[in-house]
């Protein structure tokens, strides 16, 4: 029986999984002023009545030591094999996705906004699309790590003044808990501070849990593991669909090196691996079109299986009628 990657099958509970974070001290990911690119990257795809535009806030390089489950040497070797190695590690893009249907504009994530790496380009990308932040109707925050919400609260201001902001209530509970913040390592402290700013600046925050429809054809789906309330966004119209999986997939290591390869910032590694174990083979079987925050721009592709070995296949771009 084929298992559909629908809102029904993605709302899977992961109760009982161990909770923990890495104990090693990471290398600081210093923020550096972005240099303006010659061309602002934009890419569009049609999903039924929806137009989905991939935007980018920039990038940061993650040290090879940031991937528990494999040694830094193993990660570096795989990055070289994929011609993706950088002197400072694995390059992570910060992709955001603008979803429009002619009546509403929904932004999925808001980037780190200059808080790490070479970032802060989302306003420029929106401007290239002919939009201002006050023209965005809703922002979905897939989880409350700094690189997904920074653009909402940059400079301590409400940057999307007219937008409804959606986030899973489990993440809000976790990232605004003073006791959890007190026990958290230094590299997570910015996420706790940003979460407090988000709650303060957006008092009408829309908190959800599990699968939840926010408008016709746009569903939040439960991808718990990376954080307690990690969610994806499924866009569907007629026979076409796209699922934005946020931080379930990371460049170089996924899917080729295995679902057991984690990332330093994952809150519950066993749960994150379990979600990948369930999602990856289904996505490959169905040929699901996927959007992933940190994959090379525009972050759109599919998981494909060659005699049981999974790999990432970037979406084949063509003019769309």
């Amino acid at each position: 029986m084929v298992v559909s990657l629908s809102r029904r099958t993605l709302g899977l509970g992961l109760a009982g999984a161990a909770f923990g974070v890495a104990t090693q001290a990471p290398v600081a990911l210093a923020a550096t002023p972005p240099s303006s690119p010659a061309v602002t990257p934009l890419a569009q795809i049609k999903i039924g009545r929806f137009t989905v535009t991939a935007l980018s806030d920039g990038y940061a390089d993650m040290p090879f030591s940031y991937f528990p489950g494999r040694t830094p040497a193993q990660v570096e070797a795989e990055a070289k094999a994929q011609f993706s190695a950088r002197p400072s590690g694995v390059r992570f893009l910060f992709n955001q996705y603008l979803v429009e249907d002619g009546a509403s504009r929904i932004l999925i994530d808001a980037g780190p906004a200059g808080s790490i790496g070479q970032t802060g380009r989302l306003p420029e990308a929106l401007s290239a699309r002919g939009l201002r932040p006050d023209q965005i109707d809703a922002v979905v925050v897939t989880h409350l790590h700094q690189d997904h919400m920074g653009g909402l609260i940059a400079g301590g201001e409400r940057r999307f003044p007219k937008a409804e902001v959606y986030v899973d209530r489990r993440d809000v509970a976790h990232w605004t808990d003073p006791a959890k913040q007190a026990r958290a390592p230094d590299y997570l402290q910015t996420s706790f501070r940003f979460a407090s700013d988000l709650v303060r600046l957006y008092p009408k925050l829309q908190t959800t849990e599990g699968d939840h429809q926010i408008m016709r054809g746009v569903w939040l789906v439960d991808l718990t593991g990376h954080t307690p309330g990690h969610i994806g966004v499924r866009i569907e119209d007629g026979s076409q669909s796209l699922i934005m999986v946020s931080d379930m997939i990371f460049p170089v290591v996924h899917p080729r090196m295995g679902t057991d390869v984690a990332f330093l910032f994952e809150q519950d590694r066993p749960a994150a691996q379990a979600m990948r174990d369930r999602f990856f083979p289904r996505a490959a079987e169905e040929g699901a079109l996927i959007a992933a925050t940190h994959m090379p721009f525009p972050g759109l592709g599919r998981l494909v299986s060659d005699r049981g070995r999974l790999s990432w296949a970037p979406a084949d771009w063509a003019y769309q009628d």
Side-chain angles (χ1 to χ4, degrees):
M1 180 179 70
V2 176
V3 181
S4 172
L5 289 175
S6 68
R7 54 186 175 272
R8 294 179 294 277
T9 60
L10 283 169
L12 300 171
L14 295 170
F19 184 89
V21 296
T23 57
Q24 69 265 41
V27 177
L29 294 174
T32 54
S35 56
S36 295
V39 176
T40 299
L42 298 173
Q44 286 187 342
I45 191 168
K46 296 288 289 186
I47 304 294
R49 75 180 194 279
F50 296 104
T51 298
V52 180
T53 305
L55 313 169
S56 177
D57 194 51
Y59 67 88
D61 294 340
M62 303 295 165
F64 298 118
S65 60
Y66 272 32
F67 302 90
R70 298 295 185 275
T71 67
Q74 288 174 314
V75 175
E76 183 174 8
E78 182 63 30
K80 288 179 178 178
Q82 296 184 36
F83 301 96
S84 298
R86 307 278 177 166
S88 50
V90 176
R91 178 148 296 180
F92 274 32
L93 269 289
F94 299 101
N95 300 316
Q96 294 80 49
Y97 298 93
L98 177 67
V99 181
E100 301 173 272
D101 68 352
S104 300
R105 297 186 179 100
I106 301 173
L107 181 67
I108 304 175
D109 285 332
S115 64
I116 58 174
Q118 293 264 359
T119 59
R121 294 170 172 161
L122 178 59
E124 178 182 315
L126 284 171
S127 179
R129 182 71 179 89
L131 295 173
R132 303 182 309 274
D134 64 4
Q135 293 175 289
I136 302 301
D137 300 300
V139 179
V140 176
V141 183
T142 59
H143 60 290
L144 293 180
H145 279 157
Q146 70 184 85
D147 56 314
H148 295 259
M149 61 173 156
L152 282 159
I153 50 109
E157 297 180 10
R158 182 173 172 159
R159 293 293 179 176
F160 290 82
K162 297 181 180 179
E164 285 193 305
V165 177
Y166 293 86
V167 65
D168 192 286
R169 69 177 73 252
R170 293 165 296 182
D171 250 33
V172 174
H174 177 87
W175 294 102
T176 59
D177 185 332
K180 288 184 170 61
Q181 181 175 4
R183 296 193 299 267
D186 289 345
Y187 59 85
L188 290 177
Q189 291 301 319
T190 301
S191 295
F192 279 98
R193 292 194 298 270
F194 278 17
S196 294
D197 287 345
L198 183 71
V199 171
R200 174 176 57 83
L201 292 170
Y202 294 85
K204 295 182 180 180
L205 198 68
Q206 302 293 308
T207 56
T208 65
E209 185 168 343
D211 295 2
H212 184 80
Q213 184 172 223
I214 61 173
M215 64 175 284
R216 183 170 65 91
V218 180
W219 287 81
L220 310 184
V221 292
D222 189 358
L223 302 179
T224 304
H226 182 71
T227 66
H230 184 230
I231 57 176
V233 182
R234 182 177 177 85
I235 303 154
E236 54 186 8
D237 187 43
S239 62
Q240 296 183 293
S241 65
L242 165 70
I243 181 165
M244 193 280 188
V245 300
S246 189
D247 284 17
M248 190 195 294
I249 297 176
F250 293 111
V252 173
V253 298
H254 294 146
R256 282 171 55 112
M257 296 190 78
T259 59
D260 61 319
V261 185
F263 182 60
L264 180 68
F265 286 66
E266 283 185 329
Q267 307 301 124
D268 189 335
R269 291 178 191 162
Q273 179 182 345
M275 185 60 75
R276 288 190 284 265
D277 283 337
R278 291 143 90 175
F279 182 89
F280 284 10
R282 274 191 235 140
E285 182 180 1
E286 296 186 13
L289 181 60
I290 295 167
T293 300
H294 300 300
M295 297 300 273
F297 186 85
L300 292 161
R302 291 177 172 85
L303 298 176
V304 297
S305 178
D306 180 9
R307 290 168 288 187
R309 183 175 175 83
L310 293 175
S311 62
W312 172 260
D316 183 18
W317 285 95
Y319 287 108
Q320 294 180 301
D321 295 330

